[in-house]
Amino acid sequence: MSAETILQVRGLSRRFGGLTAVNDVSFDLTRGEVLGLIGPNGAGKTTMFNLLVGIHRPSSGSIRLKGTETSGLKPNRIAKLGMTKTFQNVALFQESSVLDNVLTGALLHHPVAQARDAAHEMLRRVGLDHIAGKLAGDLSFPERARVEVARALCTRPDILLLDEVMAALNAVEMEEFLALVRDLRKDGLTIVVVEHHMQAIMTMCDRILVLNFGGLIAEGTPREVAHHPAVVEAYLGKAYTGDHGAH
Amino acid sequence: MSLSSSLGNAGTPSLRTLPCRPVLLIAAALGMAGLVPLGLDPQGYTLRVLTLTLLFAAMAQSWNIVGGLANQISLGHAGFFGIGAYTSTILLRDLGVSPWLGMIAGMGLAGLAAAILSVPTFRLKGHYFALVTLAFGEVMRVIANSWSSVTGGPVGISVPFAPNSLWMFQYNTVRPYYYVSLIALVLVSVVFWRIKTGALGYRLRAIKENPDAAEVIGIDTYRAKLMAGLVSAVLTAALGTVYAQFSYFFDPDTIFGVASISVRMALIAIVGGVSLTFGPIVGAFFIIPLEEISNAALAGRAAGLSAFVYGALLIAIILVKPQGLLALFGDLYKRLRKESSR
C-alpha cells in the first residue's frame, strides 16, 4: 500500500511586483514525513510557508491539503483543516502568559477550561510547564520558540511548518528539540522544516527540497542533496559531509 | 504518550470561582450603591449626576469591548447610542410602543449597522479605523438632522409624557433611573467580564497582539472582531434608550456628538484603565463629577476656563499614568504596603 499523500503542491508561484519570490514549485508530502526546505537567504522558503498556510495568496498554482484545495483560503480555515506554522521571528502574544499563549492555540478544538488543561499538558510535554505563568515577552529566544511550537501543536495539526525554530538553540536544547520531533513523528505528525542548521536538517529529515531564487533546484534524501552539484554551488559551498555544525 | 492523547483527553472543566475577597468587595460596593439614593433628594442634582455617571460608566464599558479587548479605537459609538435613543423614542411617539420593546428594536438596528460597518473597517486598524468610525457617527448625525419628518431634525425630539410606569419606562423622579442605570452598568460589566475571560477574550487579545499569528492558529479574526463589535454596538444602543427616557429630550447634535458621546466613552475607559473590567467605572466616577465640579466652580469666571482645567487634568493623568487610574491606584497601594512593612 502506498503512503498517503497529505499535501500536493503544483506549479506554485508568487510574485511581488516584478519580483518572483516563489517560481513554479511542485512537490508532494507524505503523511508522517519530515521534509526539509533549505536554500540561501531570500530563496523563498518563508514565502513558501506563507503560501501554504494562507498568509499570502498564490499568483498561480494549486495547494491541496488532504484532497481539499486551499489556495485562496484564509489561514484560520487552513489551520482548521490541519496545517499551521511557526514564525521565523517568533510571533508570541507578548503581553500574555506562556499558558495563555498555548491555551489560545487549544481553543481551536476546546472550550476555555479544557483548553487550559490541554495547554498544561502540552507545556509539560515540551518541558515548559515550570514557566507557564511567565509573561511571553520576558522569555529568552529559545524559550519563546518552544512556546510557539507548543502553541502550534495545541491546534492538533496534521502538518506543522517550523520556520527556523532551532536558531539560537545550544547543543543540549537542540538534542531535546530533535527528540521532540522524533516523538511527534511517532504520533503521525507531518513536519516541514526550514532551517539553516545543516546537521539538524540532515539528522531529522527524510527528504529535502532546495530552493534558490524562488525555484526548486534539487530534491532528494539528505545524502543525495548534500552532494547535488547545484546545491553545493548555490548553498553549501562544498559537499556536506556531516563533520561541521551550523551552516 | 501520543500527540492525540496528550491533546484529546483534556480534563473536564473545573468550577472556577472568583476569589472570596473581591466578591465581597463588589457585593459591598453594590450594596452601598443601592443605598446611596435613599439619603439623597430624589429630584436633586447630586442624584442626577450620579445617574449620569453610572450611565456613562456602562457606555464606556460597552466601548471597552471593542476599544479595550479588540484594541479597535472607535470614535463612532455615538452612532449606535443615537440609533437606540431615536428608535425607541420614535416608536413610542408614533406607535405608543413601550420603550423596553423599542430598546430591543434599537439594539437590532444597531447590530445591523455594526455588521454593515464591519465590512469596510475589517482590515483597518489604528487611526484609519478611528477615522472611519468617526465618519459613521457623523453620517448618523447628518441623517438625523436631515430626516426631519421622522427624527424631528435639528429641533430635536421629546419623549411623550406618560404617568409613572415601569412598562412605559417613565418616572417623575430621578431615583428609578438611577437604579436602572446601576443595573445596566452591572449587566454590561458582567457581559464584558464574561467576554474577557471567555474564548472570545483570548481570541481578541491574540488578534490585538499579532493578527497573523492569531489566524494561523485557527482564529477567524473577522468573526471575532465582528462579534465584539456587534455586542458593543447592541449594548450601546440599549443605553441610548435609557438615556432618552432619562433626559426626555435630545437632538442630533447631542445624541450623536463626537465630543459629548463618542470621545467621552473612549476617554472614560482610557482614563480609568482600558481593557480592565473596573477601568470604565473608575474613569466615569472621576470624569463625570470632575466635569460637573469644574463647570460649577469655574464656568462663571471666564469663558472656557472650566474646559481648560478639565482638559489639563486629563492630560496630566494620561501623561503620568497612560495605563489609567486603576494602574495608578495599584502603584500607590503597592508603595503604601511597602512603606508600612518597613
Side-chain angles (χ1 to χ4, degrees):
Chain A
M1 194 177 71
S2 67
E4 180 197 352
T5 299
I6 191 167
L7 183 76
Q8 201 174 50
V9 175
R10 291 290 176 271
L12 195 65
S13 295
R14 170 69 200 199
R15 288 176 286 278
F16 296 103
L19 175 78
T20 303
V22 171
N23 188 14
D24 195 24
V25 174
S26 301
F27 64 92
D28 288 346
L29 194 56
T30 308
R31 188 179 283 277
E33 187 179 19
V34 178
L35 179 77
L37 194 58
I38 62 170
N41 288 332
K45 306 181 293 291
T46 296
T47 306
M48 171 65 76
F49 270 15
N50 287 341
L51 288 168
L52 293 179
V53 298
I55 291 176
H56 296 328
R57 275 172 176 264
S59 304
S60 59
S62 105
I63 303 163
R64 293 186 79 81
L65 171 61
K66 295 189 283 185
T68 304
E69 181 64 45
T70 62
S71 50
L73 291 185
K74 285 175 67 184
N76 74 77
R77 296 265 295 123
I78 294 171
K80 280 170 195 141
L81 286 169
M83 180 156 62
T84 189
K85 68 164 239 166
T86 64
F87 287 77
Q88 190 179 356
N89 296 320
V90 184
L92 290 185
F93 311 129
Q94 304 275 61
E95 290 173 27
S96 299
S97 69
V98 166
L99 177 66
D100 285 353
N101 265 273
V102 181
L103 183 161
T104 308
L107 286 174
L108 186 58
H109 298 289
H110 300 292
V112 175
Q114 282 100 327
R116 184 174 287 109
D117 293 340
H120 271 302
E121 204 157 339
M122 185 52 70
L123 285 172
R124 268 194 292 279
R125 188 168 189 196
V126 299
L128 291 173
D129 206 30
H130 62 290
I131 56 163
K134 248 183 155 180
L135 266 190
D138 293 340
L139 303 179
S140 66
F141 183 84
E143 284 174 332
R144 284 164 55 206
R146 283 158 73 195
V147 172
E148 200 183 21
V149 171
R151 187 180 67 190
L153 287 172
C154 264
T155 66
R156 300 206 319 226
D158 291 302
I159 303 176
L160 176 61
L161 314 179
L162 298 172
D163 199 347
E164 296 195 31
V165 286
M166 279 174 272
L169 295 193
N170 62 32
V172 175
E173 290 163 342
M174 176 91 68
E175 191 40 55
E176 284 172 1
F177 190 81
L178 291 174
L180 176 66
V181 169
R182 282 193 292 272
D183 197 24
L184 294 171
R185 188 186 179 165
K186 268 188 224 158
D187 297 334
L189 184 67
T190 308
I191 301 172
V192 185
V193 190
V194 163
E195 195 55 60
H196 283 296
H197 199 295
M198 287 308 295
Q199 199 176 348
I201 279 278
M202 294 293 170
T203 308
M204 75 173 127
C205 294
D206 303 305
R207 199 157 54 95
I208 294 175
L209 305 181
V210 189
L211 291 179
N212 194 27
F213 295 115
L216 191 61
I217 59 167
E219 178 180 355
T221 64
R223 192 178 173 79
E224 287 164 354
V225 162
H227 295 88
H228 194 290
V231 180
V232 171
E233 187 188 336
Y235 184 51
L236 296 176
K238 62 176 182 174
Y240 180 81
T241 56
D243 57 359
H244 50 283
H247 172 74
Chain B
M1 183 175 59
S2 74
L3 178 65
S4 55
S5 68
S6 83
L7 292 172
N9 300 332
T12 50
S14 59
L15 186 65
R16 293 179 62 79
T17 53
L18 276 168
C20 195
R21 219 168 105 181
V23 169
L24 287 177
L25 280 172
I26 292 167
L30 281 175
M32 271 177 59
L35 291 174
V36 161
L38 303 179
L40 294 171
D41 176 1
Q43 302 268 37
Y45 170 74
T46 310
L47 195 57
R48 197 172 174 79
V49 172
L50 282 173
T51 304
L52 271 180
T53 305
L54 293 171
L55 190 56
F56 269 97
M59 288 158 65
Q61 190 72 285
S62 66
W63 180 91
N64 210 16
I65 296 168
V66 164
L69 296 181
N71 200 30
Q72 301 271 68
I73 305 298
S74 164
L75 294 180
H77 262 52
F80 306 123
F81 189 65
I83 287 172
Y86 270 107
T87 305
S88 60
T89 307
I90 291 167
L91 286 173
L92 174 61
R93 182 196 64 189
D94 295 353
L95 302 170
V97 173
S98 161
W100 297 111
L101 297 178
M103 179 189 276
I104 294 166
M107 290 163 83
L109 275 180
L112 184 66
I116 294 168
L117 188 65
S118 75
V119 176
T121 57
F122 162 55
R123 289 189 189 283
L124 301 179
K125 46 191 169 186
H127 315 312
Y128 302 104
F129 181 84
L131 283 173
V132 174
T133 53
L134 182 75
F136 161 70
E138 282 299 279
V139 166
M140 296 311 295
R141 187 178 67 80
V142 171
I143 290 172
N145 266 322
S146 314
W147 200 6
S148 301
S149 59
V150 176
T151 63
V155 177
I157 188 169
S158 296
V159 174
F161 175 77
N164 273 359
S165 152
L166 175 63
W167 178 240
M168 294 314 283
F169 192 3
Q170 211 168 118
Y171 300 96
N172 57 12
T173 68
V174 177
R175 197 179 280 163
Y177 295 107
Y178 172 92
Y179 286 116
V180 169
S181 300
L182 180 62
I183 291 166
L185 173 58
V186 171
L187 288 177
V188 177
S189 297
V190 167
V191 170
F192 176 85
W193 182 75
R194 292 281 299 181
I195 290 175
K196 186 179 175 176
T197 55
L200 182 57
Y202 281 98
R203 292 186 178 117
L204 291 172
R205 278 192 291 281
I207 295 166
K208 179 174 164 178
E209 294 207 38
N210 195 320
D212 279 344
E215 275 277 341
V216 299
I217 58 167
I219 295 173
D220 187 336
T221 51
Y222 175 69
R223 189 183 154 88
K225 286 197 275 192
L226 177 64
M227 287 301 293
L230 285 179
V231 173
S232 180
V234 160
L235 292 175
T236 304
L239 297 167
T241 298
V242 177
Y243 180 84
Q245 294 301 118
F246 174 56
S247 65
Y248 282 102
F249 168 82
F250 56 91
D251 58 37
D253 292 348
T254 317
I255 209 85
F256 292 115
V258 174
S260 59
I261 304 293
S262 291
V263 171
R264 198 188 275 179
M265 286 170 82
L267 195 65
I268 288 169
I270 292 165
V271 166
V274 75
S275 85
L276 302 172
T277 310
F278 291 98
I281 301 169
V282 171
F285 274 88
F286 178 77
I287 284 182
I288 304 294
L290 177 68
E291 277 177 346
E292 294 297 327
I293 291 165
S294 61
N295 275 335
L298 303 168
R301 302 200 177 181
L305 184 61
S306 66
F308 175 78
V309 171
Y310 166 72
L313 267 169
L314 290 182
I315 290 168
I317 289 165
I318 288 167
L319 286 177
V320 170
K321 200 72 186 171
Q323 298 90 341
L325 286 169
L326 267 181
L328 186 68
F329 296 155
D331 288 353
L332 289 173
Y333 176 69
K334 274 183 205 161
R335 195 178 295 174
L336 282 172
R337 278 193 67 167
K338 210 183 238 180
E339 281 177 12
S340 65
S341 65
R342 275 182 193 159

